[in-house]
Amino acid sequence: MNAGQPSDSDKNLRVLIVGGDRSLEEEFRTALARVPDRQGVIHFAETYREAVDVATRRQPTFILIEIDRDVGDVAALSKDLQELVPESAIAGAFRPDRLEQGQSESATIIELLRAQVRDFLRRPLSTTELRAVLDRLFSRLPGAAPVAQGRVAAFLSNKGGVGKSTLAVNVACALALRHPDEVLLIDASLQVGTCAMLLDLSPTTSIVDAIRERDRLDKTLLRHLTLRHASGLRLLAAPIDALEGAEVDDDAMSRIIKMARRSFKYVVIDTFPMLDSILMTILDVTDLAFVVVQGMTPAVAGIARLLPVLEGLGLQASRQRLVLNYNYKPFLGDLRPSDIADRLDRTLDYVVPYEHRVLASMNTGSPHVLHARRWERFGRTINNLVDDLDVFGVDPATESPQLHASAERRVKVADRKEML
């Protein structure tokens, strides 16, 4: 990405609107809908107490406060919200003819600028003015240092048993070998999580503990709640008791992932094979999604239905990697990669070959990538996925030749005979 160009995360806004006039939300939606390349999830808070609560749970990237009362109260709220969500950009919306009596427009703006309100919009909102404000707030200036944020990768499928968790664990371990103590694996398969078992770890804490401590969750506490694996990987395990999974809602999941990406260089998420609010929350903050399909007709048919849904949810094809996983022994009449690619009308980015030792490693709790020989196809494929994640989003002008070459090695469509 070139300096001065907004990133994808800048274009996908999480918006909190605070004010006593509900029509401000509709004005904002209408104006934003006409701004090219910008979209947002919008929340409205009528009271200041509600605004603090929503900001804490939703971690908005853009906050618009209606200046409809004493400017001192607006300034106090702005300061409180900036402390709660330091990475958020705050703007004010006002009608010049409705400012507090005796308070001039210039004096109001100066006082609120001191309270970290960074820009202003006049009501009724116009598309032209909103676009200009968003460009000022979210387009990076040349030479400006970006906020350090870890990369989020999610492994997903709409069918169980396709090897999604096995791939997530192996990729996370391979990443951790390169970046010890900087990789977090989150097991978001809340009722039937298997990551701890695949790593031969006995959870003493889980994601539920992070939920219960959400009000004081910070980088130190999050690391304390993780389990450390010998590979250098850290795991935030699924609930020990499946019933506790009901405590995890989309707000809580969003907050945990945002804290995780500020605490770790990489966050890998294993998801549950169901398109629910938890998964949609994960997709909102995912940089790269590995969509796993098994080489069986029911699995292929399911992924064919899932892919357009993901696009509709805003997960562009550029942020997807389609992974064909042969986690079973080949048989006569088996589907070939080219058959599956034709059925999906998509290029297969990776084909993971069958390897019986991967199945054995699942029983021993020792991920196979930790023992794979250099020439083994499974280990090479896993490391290609890791290379892809390493290079994703890096400016081509600054990335290393090795990483650039590894990105070019992504498997397109391979003949099945070459993989087995």
PDB file of all heavy atoms in Angstrom, residues 220-254:
ATOM      1  N   THR A 220      -1.283  -7.545  29.143  1.00  0.00           N
ATOM      2  CA  THR A 220      -0.680  -8.410  30.160  1.00  0.00           C
ATOM      3  C   THR A 220      -1.634  -9.507  30.588  1.00  0.00           C
ATOM      4  O   THR A 220      -1.252 -10.691  30.679  1.00  0.00           O
ATOM      5  CB  THR A 220      -0.249  -7.571  31.377  1.00  0.00           C
ATOM      6  OG1 THR A 220       0.678  -6.561  30.959  1.00  0.00           O
ATOM      7  CG2 THR A 220       0.401  -8.451  32.440  1.00  0.00           C
ATOM      8  N   LEU A 221      -2.884  -9.135  30.866  1.00  0.00           N
ATOM      9  CA  LEU A 221      -3.854 -10.129  31.305  1.00  0.00           C
ATOM     10  C   LEU A 221      -4.149 -11.132  30.191  1.00  0.00           C
ATOM     11  O   LEU A 221      -4.271 -12.338  30.450  1.00  0.00           O
ATOM     12  CB  LEU A 221      -5.148  -9.438  31.744  1.00  0.00           C
ATOM     13  CG  LEU A 221      -6.287 -10.366  32.214  1.00  0.00           C
ATOM     14  CD1 LEU A 221      -5.821 -11.254  33.365  1.00  0.00           C
ATOM     15  CD2 LEU A 221      -7.508  -9.554  32.623  1.00  0.00           C
ATOM     16  N   LEU A 222      -4.251 -10.664  28.954  1.00  0.00           N
ATOM     17  CA  LEU A 222      -4.528 -11.581  27.852  1.00  0.00           C
ATOM     18  C   LEU A 222      -3.434 -12.633  27.740  1.00  0.00           C
ATOM     19  O   LEU A 222      -3.713 -13.828  27.589  1.00  0.00           O
ATOM     20  CB  LEU A 222      -4.658 -10.804  26.542  1.00  0.00           C
ATOM     21  CG  LEU A 222      -4.960 -11.650  25.305  1.00  0.00           C
ATOM     22  CD1 LEU A 222      -6.276 -12.399  25.457  1.00  0.00           C
ATOM     23  CD2 LEU A 222      -4.981 -10.787  24.040  1.00  0.00           C
ATOM     24  N   ARG A 223      -2.174 -12.226  27.809  1.00  0.00           N
ATOM     25  CA  ARG A 223      -1.077 -13.200  27.747  1.00  0.00           C
ATOM     26  C   ARG A 223      -1.145 -14.167  28.927  1.00  0.00           C
ATOM     27  O   ARG A 223      -0.846 -15.355  28.784  1.00  0.00           O
ATOM     28  CB  ARG A 223       0.267 -12.481  27.724  1.00  0.00           C
ATOM     29  CG  ARG A 223       0.605 -11.894  26.356  1.00  0.00           C
ATOM     30  CD  ARG A 223       2.011 -11.308  26.324  1.00  0.00           C
ATOM     31  NE  ARG A 223       2.342 -10.847  24.968  1.00  0.00           N
ATOM     32  CZ  ARG A 223       2.957 -11.579  24.060  1.00  0.00           C
ATOM     33  NH1 ARG A 223       3.346 -12.813  24.366  1.00  0.00           N
ATOM     34  NH2 ARG A 223       3.218 -11.093  22.865  1.00  0.00           N
ATOM     35  N   HIS A 224      -1.521 -13.648  30.086  1.00  0.00           N
ATOM     36  CA  HIS A 224      -1.615 -14.496  31.276  1.00  0.00           C
ATOM     37  C   HIS A 224      -2.683 -15.584  31.112  1.00  0.00           C
ATOM     38  O   HIS A 224      -2.556 -16.680  31.666  1.00  0.00           O
ATOM     39  CB  HIS A 224      -1.933 -13.632  32.502  1.00  0.00           C
ATOM     40  CG  HIS A 224      -2.061 -14.408  33.778  1.00  0.00           C
ATOM     41  ND1 HIS A 224      -0.976 -14.972  34.425  1.00  0.00           N
ATOM     42  CD2 HIS A 224      -3.158 -14.732  34.519  1.00  0.00           C
ATOM     43  CE1 HIS A 224      -1.387 -15.600  35.513  1.00  0.00           C
ATOM     44  NE2 HIS A 224      -2.706 -15.475  35.600  1.00  0.00           N
ATOM     45  N   LEU A 225      -3.724 -15.298  30.325  1.00  0.00           N
ATOM     46  CA  LEU A 225      -4.817 -16.248  30.139  1.00  0.00           C
ATOM     47  C   LEU A 225      -4.541 -17.263  29.033  1.00  0.00           C
ATOM     48  O   LEU A 225      -5.350 -18.161  28.805  1.00  0.00           O
ATOM     49  CB  LEU A 225      -6.111 -15.497  29.826  1.00  0.00           C
ATOM     50  CG  LEU A 225      -6.664 -14.612  30.949  1.00  0.00           C
ATOM     51  CD1 LEU A 225      -7.872 -13.824  30.463  1.00  0.00           C
ATOM     52  CD2 LEU A 225      -7.037 -15.444  32.168  1.00  0.00           C
ATOM     53  N   THR A 226      -3.417 -17.133  28.349  1.00  0.00           N
ATOM     54  CA  THR A 226      -3.089 -18.059  27.263  1.00  0.00           C
ATOM     55  C   THR A 226      -2.230 -19.206  27.777  1.00  0.00           C
ATOM     56  O   THR A 226      -1.579 -19.106  28.821  1.00  0.00           O
ATOM     57  CB  THR A 226      -2.351 -17.345  26.117  1.00  0.00           C
ATOM     58  OG1 THR A 226      -1.103 -16.824  26.603  1.00  0.00           O
ATOM     59  CG2 THR A 226      -3.192 -16.211  25.561  1.00  0.00           C
ATOM     60  N   LEU A 227      -2.221 -20.291  27.002  1.00  0.00           N
ATOM     61  CA  LEU A 227      -1.375 -21.445  27.307  1.00  0.00           C
ATOM     62  C   LEU A 227      -0.201 -21.429  26.337  1.00  0.00           C
ATOM     63  O   LEU A 227      -0.392 -21.251  25.117  1.00  0.00           O
ATOM     64  CB  LEU A 227      -2.163 -22.746  27.135  1.00  0.00           C
ATOM     65  CG  LEU A 227      -3.515 -22.833  27.853  1.00  0.00           C
ATOM     66  CD1 LEU A 227      -4.271 -24.076  27.408  1.00  0.00           C
ATOM     67  CD2 LEU A 227      -3.320 -22.842  29.361  1.00  0.00           C
ATOM     68  N   ARG A 228       1.010 -21.633  26.840  1.00  0.00           N
ATOM     69  CA  ARG A 228       2.183 -21.599  25.976  1.00  0.00           C
ATOM     70  C   ARG A 228       2.563 -23.002  25.535  1.00  0.00           C
ATOM     71  O   ARG A 228       2.631 -23.931  26.339  1.00  0.00           O
ATOM     72  CB  ARG A 228       3.371 -20.944  26.678  1.00  0.00           C
ATOM     73  CG  ARG A 228       4.482 -20.533  25.704  1.00  0.00           C
ATOM     74  CD  ARG A 228       5.630 -19.816  26.405  1.00  0.00           C
ATOM     75  NE  ARG A 228       6.531 -19.198  25.443  1.00  0.00           N
ATOM     76  CZ  ARG A 228       7.462 -19.856  24.757  1.00  0.00           C
ATOM     77  NH1 ARG A 228       7.595 -21.165  24.925  1.00  0.00           N
ATOM     78  NH2 ARG A 228       8.253 -19.216  23.897  1.00  0.00           N
ATOM     79  N   HIS A 229       2.796 -23.138  24.226  1.00  0.00           N
ATOM     80  CA  HIS A 229       3.213 -24.411  23.642  1.00  0.00           C
ATOM     81  C   HIS A 229       4.719 -24.388  23.408  1.00  0.00           C
ATOM     82  O   HIS A 229       5.323 -23.321  23.277  1.00  0.00           O
ATOM     83  CB  HIS A 229       2.468 -24.638  22.318  1.00  0.00           C
ATOM     84  CG  HIS A 229       2.711 -25.971  21.703  1.00  0.00           C
ATOM     85  ND1 HIS A 229       3.567 -26.149  20.631  1.00  0.00           N
ATOM     86  CD2 HIS A 229       2.219 -27.208  22.014  1.00  0.00           C
ATOM     87  CE1 HIS A 229       3.583 -27.421  20.298  1.00  0.00           C
ATOM     88  NE2 HIS A 229       2.779 -28.096  21.112  1.00  0.00           N
ATOM     89  N   ALA A 230       5.331 -25.567  23.334  1.00  0.00           N
ATOM     90  CA  ALA A 230       6.779 -25.670  23.172  1.00  0.00           C
ATOM     91  C   ALA A 230       7.275 -25.030  21.879  1.00  0.00           C
ATOM     92  O   ALA A 230       8.430 -24.627  21.782  1.00  0.00           O
ATOM     93  CB  ALA A 230       7.199 -27.140  23.217  1.00  0.00           C
ATOM     94  N   SER A 231       6.417 -24.913  20.885  1.00  0.00           N
ATOM     95  CA  SER A 231       6.803 -24.307  19.615  1.00  0.00           C
ATOM     96  C   SER A 231       6.974 -22.798  19.722  1.00  0.00           C
ATOM     97  O   SER A 231       7.480 -22.161  18.798  1.00  0.00           O
ATOM     98  CB  SER A 231       5.749 -24.610  18.546  1.00  0.00           C
ATOM     99  OG  SER A 231       4.506 -24.002  18.895  1.00  0.00           O
ATOM    100  N   GLY A 232       6.537 -22.199  20.839  1.00  0.00           N
ATOM    101  CA  GLY A 232       6.521 -20.748  20.983  1.00  0.00           C
ATOM    102  C   GLY A 232       5.157 -20.155  20.736  1.00  0.00           C
ATOM    103  O   GLY A 232       4.956 -18.945  20.844  1.00  0.00           O
ATOM    104  N   LEU A 233       4.188 -21.011  20.418  1.00  0.00           N
ATOM    105  CA  LEU A 233       2.808 -20.588  20.182  1.00  0.00           C
ATOM    106  C   LEU A 233       2.075 -20.368  21.495  1.00  0.00           C
ATOM    107  O   LEU A 233       2.340 -21.052  22.487  1.00  0.00           O
ATOM    108  CB  LEU A 233       2.087 -21.666  19.374  1.00  0.00           C
ATOM    109  CG  LEU A 233       0.578 -21.511  19.140  1.00  0.00           C
ATOM    110  CD1 LEU A 233       0.304 -20.340  18.213  1.00  0.00           C
ATOM    111  CD2 LEU A 233      -0.007 -22.798  18.575  1.00  0.00           C
ATOM    112  N   ARG A 234       1.141 -19.426  21.497  1.00  0.00           N
ATOM    113  CA  ARG A 234       0.247 -19.248  22.645  1.00  0.00           C
ATOM    114  C   ARG A 234      -1.178 -19.555  22.200  1.00  0.00           C
ATOM    115  O   ARG A 234      -1.581 -19.183  21.099  1.00  0.00           O
ATOM    116  CB  ARG A 234       0.345 -17.836  23.227  1.00  0.00           C
ATOM    117  CG  ARG A 234       1.655 -17.613  23.978  1.00  0.00           C
ATOM    118  CD  ARG A 234       1.675 -16.296  24.716  1.00  0.00           C
ATOM    119  NE  ARG A 234       2.867 -16.160  25.523  1.00  0.00           N
ATOM    120  CZ  ARG A 234       2.985 -16.555  26.797  1.00  0.00           C
ATOM    121  NH1 ARG A 234       1.944 -17.126  27.388  1.00  0.00           N
ATOM    122  NH2 ARG A 234       4.090 -16.390  27.467  1.00  0.00           N
ATOM    123  N   LEU A 235      -1.922 -20.210  23.059  1.00  0.00           N
ATOM    124  CA  LEU A 235      -3.284 -20.643  22.750  1.00  0.00           C
ATOM    125  C   LEU A 235      -4.275 -20.034  23.725  1.00  0.00           C
ATOM    126  O   LEU A 235      -4.089 -20.113  24.946  1.00  0.00           O
ATOM    127  CB  LEU A 235      -3.386 -22.175  22.825  1.00  0.00           C
ATOM    128  CG  LEU A 235      -4.809 -22.760  22.765  1.00  0.00           C
ATOM    129  CD1 LEU A 235      -5.421 -22.555  21.385  1.00  0.00           C
ATOM    130  CD2 LEU A 235      -4.803 -24.236  23.139  1.00  0.00           C
ATOM    131  N   LEU A 236      -5.328 -19.415  23.183  1.00  0.00           N
ATOM    132  CA  LEU A 236      -6.491 -19.037  23.987  1.00  0.00           C
ATOM    133  C   LEU A 236      -7.535 -20.104  23.697  1.00  0.00           C
ATOM    134  O   LEU A 236      -8.146 -20.132  22.623  1.00  0.00           O
ATOM    135  CB  LEU A 236      -7.003 -17.645  23.598  1.00  0.00           C
ATOM    136  CG  LEU A 236      -8.109 -17.066  24.494  1.00  0.00           C
ATOM    137  CD1 LEU A 236      -7.637 -16.935  25.935  1.00  0.00           C
ATOM    138  CD2 LEU A 236      -8.571 -15.709  23.973  1.00  0.00           C
ATOM    139  N   ALA A 237      -7.686 -21.027  24.644  1.00  0.00           N
ATOM    140  CA  ALA A 237      -8.444 -22.246  24.405  1.00  0.00           C
ATOM    141  C   ALA A 237      -9.941 -22.005  24.383  1.00  0.00           C
ATOM    142  O   ALA A 237     -10.451 -21.011  24.911  1.00  0.00           O
ATOM    143  CB  ALA A 237      -8.099 -23.285  25.477  1.00  0.00           C
ATOM    144  N   ALA A 238     -10.645 -22.942  23.752  1.00  0.00           N
ATOM    145  CA  ALA A 238     -12.108 -22.953  23.792  1.00  0.00           C
ATOM    146  C   ALA A 238     -12.564 -23.272  25.216  1.00  0.00           C
ATOM    147  O   ALA A 238     -11.784 -23.786  26.030  1.00  0.00           O
ATOM    148  CB  ALA A 238     -12.639 -23.994  22.811  1.00  0.00           C
ATOM    149  N   PRO A 239     -13.827 -22.969  25.540  1.00  0.00           N
ATOM    150  CA  PRO A 239     -14.316 -23.252  26.897  1.00  0.00           C
ATOM    151  C   PRO A 239     -14.139 -24.718  27.282  1.00  0.00           C
ATOM    152  O   PRO A 239     -14.356 -25.621  26.465  1.00  0.00           O
ATOM    153  CB  PRO A 239     -15.802 -22.877  26.820  1.00  0.00           C
ATOM    154  CG  PRO A 239     -15.881 -21.892  25.708  1.00  0.00           C
ATOM    155  CD  PRO A 239     -14.846 -22.311  24.718  1.00  0.00           C
ATOM    156  N   ILE A 240     -13.727 -24.944  28.513  1.00  0.00           N
ATOM    157  CA  ILE A 240     -13.570 -26.312  29.007  1.00  0.00           C
ATOM    158  C   ILE A 240     -14.930 -26.983  29.100  1.00  0.00           C
ATOM    159  O   ILE A 240     -15.089 -28.154  28.756  1.00  0.00           O
ATOM    160  CB  ILE A 240     -12.857 -26.287  30.385  1.00  0.00           C
ATOM    161  CG1 ILE A 240     -11.482 -25.616  30.234  1.00  0.00           C
ATOM    162  CG2 ILE A 240     -12.722 -27.690  30.949  1.00  0.00           C
ATOM    163  CD1 ILE A 240     -10.821 -25.279  31.544  1.00  0.00           C
ATOM    164  N   ASP A 241     -15.923 -26.261  29.576  1.00  0.00           N
ATOM    165  CA  ASP A 241     -17.302 -26.727  29.629  1.00  0.00           C
ATOM    166  C   ASP A 241     -18.048 -26.119  28.443  1.00  0.00           C
ATOM    167  O   ASP A 241     -18.125 -24.897  28.297  1.00  0.00           O
ATOM    168  CB  ASP A 241     -17.947 -26.291  30.950  1.00  0.00           C
ATOM    169  CG  ASP A 241     -19.388 -26.772  31.096  1.00  0.00           C
ATOM    170  OD1 ASP A 241     -19.969 -27.228  30.090  1.00  0.00           O
ATOM    171  OD2 ASP A 241     -19.938 -26.674  32.207  1.00  0.00           O
ATOM    172  N   ALA A 242     -18.594 -26.971  27.575  1.00  0.00           N
ATOM    173  CA  ALA A 242     -19.247 -26.474  26.364  1.00  0.00           C
ATOM    174  C   ALA A 242     -20.382 -25.507  26.679  1.00  0.00           C
ATOM    175  O   ALA A 242     -20.656 -24.592  25.893  1.00  0.00           O
ATOM    176  CB  ALA A 242     -19.766 -27.649  25.534  1.00  0.00           C
ATOM    177  N   LEU A 243     -21.043 -25.686  27.822  1.00  0.00           N
ATOM    178  CA  LEU A 243     -22.144 -24.792  28.173  1.00  0.00           C
ATOM    179  C   LEU A 243     -21.661 -23.367  28.410  1.00  0.00           C
ATOM    180  O   LEU A 243     -22.416 -22.407  28.221  1.00  0.00           O
ATOM    181  CB  LEU A 243     -22.861 -25.318  29.427  1.00  0.00           C
ATOM    182  CG  LEU A 243     -23.620 -26.646  29.265  1.00  0.00           C
ATOM    183  CD1 LEU A 243     -24.206 -27.087  30.598  1.00  0.00           C
ATOM    184  CD2 LEU A 243     -24.718 -26.507  28.215  1.00  0.00           C
ATOM    185  N   GLU A 244     -20.398 -23.237  28.819  1.00  0.00           N
ATOM    186  CA  GLU A 244     -19.867 -21.893  29.058  1.00  0.00           C
ATOM    187  C   GLU A 244     -19.712 -21.106  27.756  1.00  0.00           C
ATOM    188  O   GLU A 244     -19.595 -19.879  27.782  1.00  0.00           O
ATOM    189  CB  GLU A 244     -18.511 -21.991  29.765  1.00  0.00           C
ATOM    190  CG  GLU A 244     -18.591 -22.531  31.183  1.00  0.00           C
ATOM    191  CD  GLU A 244     -17.225 -22.594  31.840  1.00  0.00           C
ATOM    192  OE1 GLU A 244     -16.207 -22.623  31.111  1.00  0.00           O
ATOM    193  OE2 GLU A 244     -17.167 -22.616  33.075  1.00  0.00           O
ATOM    194  N   GLY A 245     -19.713 -21.813  26.640  1.00  0.00           N
ATOM    195  CA  GLY A 245     -19.586 -21.129  25.363  1.00  0.00           C
ATOM    196  C   GLY A 245     -20.696 -20.133  25.121  1.00  0.00           C
ATOM    197  O   GLY A 245     -20.518 -19.179  24.347  1.00  0.00           O
ATOM    198  N   ALA A 246     -21.840 -20.326  25.770  1.00  0.00           N
ATOM    199  CA  ALA A 246     -22.965 -19.400  25.597  1.00  0.00           C
ATOM    200  C   ALA A 246     -22.644 -18.006  26.137  1.00  0.00           C
ATOM    201  O   ALA A 246     -23.317 -17.031  25.783  1.00  0.00           O
ATOM    202  CB  ALA A 246     -24.206 -19.956  26.282  1.00  0.00           C
ATOM    203  N   GLU A 247     -21.621 -17.904  26.999  1.00  0.00           N
ATOM    204  CA  GLU A 247     -21.242 -16.597  27.547  1.00  0.00           C
ATOM    205  C   GLU A 247     -20.522 -15.729  26.522  1.00  0.00           C
ATOM    206  O   GLU A 247     -20.398 -14.524  26.697  1.00  0.00           O
ATOM    207  CB  GLU A 247     -20.337 -16.784  28.772  1.00  0.00           C
ATOM    208  CG  GLU A 247     -21.000 -17.462  29.949  1.00  0.00           C
ATOM    209  CD  GLU A 247     -20.077 -17.510  31.163  1.00  0.00           C
ATOM    210  OE1 GLU A 247     -19.315 -16.535  31.371  1.00  0.00           O
ATOM    211  OE2 GLU A 247     -20.096 -18.523  31.886  1.00  0.00           O
ATOM    212  N   VAL A 248     -20.023 -16.337  25.465  1.00  0.00           N
ATOM    213  CA  VAL A 248     -19.246 -15.608  24.464  1.00  0.00           C
ATOM    214  C   VAL A 248     -20.197 -15.068  23.396  1.00  0.00           C
ATOM    215  O   VAL A 248     -20.778 -15.835  22.641  1.00  0.00           O
ATOM    216  CB  VAL A 248     -18.181 -16.505  23.814  1.00  0.00           C
ATOM    217  CG1 VAL A 248     -17.325 -15.690  22.851  1.00  0.00           C
ATOM    218  CG2 VAL A 248     -17.315 -17.175  24.878  1.00  0.00           C
ATOM    219  N   ASP A 249     -20.346 -13.761  23.346  1.00  0.00           N
ATOM    220  CA  ASP A 249     -21.185 -13.151  22.307  1.00  0.00           C
ATOM    221  C   ASP A 249     -20.306 -12.398  21.316  1.00  0.00           C
ATOM    222  O   ASP A 249     -19.078 -12.343  21.458  1.00  0.00           O
ATOM    223  CB  ASP A 249     -22.246 -12.235  22.923  1.00  0.00           C
ATOM    224  CG  ASP A 249     -21.645 -11.119  23.775  1.00  0.00           C
ATOM    225  OD1 ASP A 249     -20.441 -10.835  23.628  1.00  0.00           O
ATOM    226  OD2 ASP A 249     -22.387 -10.523  24.571  1.00  0.00           O
ATOM    227  N   ASP A 250     -20.917 -11.821  20.291  1.00  0.00           N
ATOM    228  CA  ASP A 250     -20.131 -11.172  19.247  1.00  0.00           C
ATOM    229  C   ASP A 250     -19.388  -9.943  19.761  1.00  0.00           C
ATOM    230  O   ASP A 250     -18.262  -9.665  19.339  1.00  0.00           O
ATOM    231  CB  ASP A 250     -21.029 -10.811  18.063  1.00  0.00           C
ATOM    232  CG  ASP A 250     -22.245  -9.996  18.457  1.00  0.00           C
ATOM    233  OD1 ASP A 250     -22.648 -10.065  19.633  1.00  0.00           O
ATOM    234  OD2 ASP A 250     -22.803  -9.287  17.599  1.00  0.00           O
ATOM    235  N   ASP A 251     -19.997  -9.200  20.709  1.00  0.00           N
ATOM    236  CA  ASP A 251     -19.311  -8.040  21.270  1.00  0.00           C
ATOM    237  C   ASP A 251     -18.029  -8.457  21.972  1.00  0.00           C
ATOM    238  O   ASP A 251     -16.969  -7.845  21.801  1.00  0.00           O
ATOM    239  CB  ASP A 251     -20.222  -7.312  22.266  1.00  0.00           C
ATOM    240  CG  ASP A 251     -21.401  -6.651  21.586  1.00  0.00           C
ATOM    241  OD1 ASP A 251     -21.324  -6.447  20.362  1.00  0.00           O
ATOM    242  OD2 ASP A 251     -22.391  -6.364  22.272  1.00  0.00           O
ATOM    243  N   ALA A 252     -18.140  -9.499  22.802  1.00  0.00           N
ATOM    244  CA  ALA A 252     -16.984  -9.961  23.550  1.00  0.00           C
ATOM    245  C   ALA A 252     -15.897 -10.492  22.624  1.00  0.00           C
ATOM    246  O   ALA A 252     -14.700 -10.228  22.821  1.00  0.00           O
ATOM    247  CB  ALA A 252     -17.410 -11.041  24.545  1.00  0.00           C
ATOM    248  N   MET A 253     -16.309 -11.239  21.602  1.00  0.00           N
ATOM    249  CA  MET A 253     -15.333 -11.786  20.661  1.00  0.00           C
ATOM    250  C   MET A 253     -14.595 -10.662  19.939  1.00  0.00           C
ATOM    251  O   MET A 253     -13.371 -10.708  19.763  1.00  0.00           O
ATOM    252  CB  MET A 253     -16.042 -12.687  19.644  1.00  0.00           C
ATOM    253  CG  MET A 253     -15.101 -13.330  18.634  1.00  0.00           C
ATOM    254  SD  MET A 253     -13.881 -14.442  19.368  1.00  0.00           S
ATOM    255  CE  MET A 253     -14.963 -15.815  19.813  1.00  0.00           C
ATOM    256  N   SER A 254     -15.323  -9.634  19.525  1.00  0.00           N
ATOM    257  CA  SER A 254     -14.702  -8.501  18.843  1.00  0.00           C
ATOM    258  C   SER A 254     -13.660  -7.839  19.734  1.00  0.00           C
ATOM    259  O   SER A 254     -12.548  -7.509  19.293  1.00  0.00           O
ATOM    260  CB  SER A 254     -15.770  -7.489  18.432  1.00  0.00           C
ATOM    261  OG  SER A 254     -15.189  -6.348  17.849  1.00  0.00           O
TER     262      SER A 254
END
